[in-house]
Amino acid sequence: MEKTLILIKPNAVQRGLIGEIIARIERKGLHITGLKMMQLDDTILNEHYAHLSERSFFKILKDSMMVTPVVAMCVEGLDAVETVRLMVGATNARKALPGTIRGDLSMSGEQNVIHASDSVENAQAEVKRFFSENEIFSYESAITAFEYGGEERAKM
Ligand code: UDP
Ligand code: MG
């Protein structure tokens, strides 16, 4: 099953939005197979945000990600990476559509409450970066037949 990585950012932890964000993921029918709170440091953030290392806001962004622990989640489902990105909405939350997590919960392009992997390839690397193998629990769902159609289940 396709996996993706979600981080509930420190601004969401401070604002008491952990439950709201987890509830949206669960209600959608995505399965949470890894879940923990962790304190990020410069080393992991240099890797995680390597694509932004030349940007003016790089240090500010990293500092903002260390203010409190984050909640890291591994989430599984058919096309989980793309589905979660659609649920998250645009990076600049002021431009994120209503109904999306950022569109409903944030006014900021930086303090935008959530990280989600942006490609299947990056998701595989990011799940490995934040979780060890024994922290991922891939269990059988008892209700898959009510969450997906027959043709979809054949692809899983
Ligand atoms: N970010 C920022 N200013 C920008 C672009 C990005 O502060 O102009 C921050 C923001 O918190 C964003 C993170 O850097 O979520 C990672 O940027 P990316 O382009 O990967 O966006 P995302 O994948 O989070 O939508
Ligand atoms: Mg990104």
Side-chain angles (χ1 to χ4, degrees), residues 61-99:
L61 171 63
K62 285 193 297 175
D63 287 345
S64 77
M65 291 294 288
M66 296 188 274
V67 169
T68 69
V70 300
V71 175
M73 271 194 275
C74 176
V75 162
E76 294 188 19
L78 190 62
D79 302 327
V81 173
E82 188 187 1
T83 303
V84 170
R85 284 293 287 197
L86 284 170
M87 289 178 74
V88 164
T91 306
N92 179 349
R94 292 190 300 284
K95 298 202 158 78
L97 290 176

Side-chain angles (χ1 to χ4, degrees), residues 4 7 16 20 34-35 48 52 61 69-70 81 103 112-113 134 143 154:
T4 191
L7 299 175
E20 164 83 27
L35 179 66
H48 183 63
L52 299 171
L61 171 63
V70 300
V81 173
N112 56 7
V113 301
N134 66 2
I143 58 161

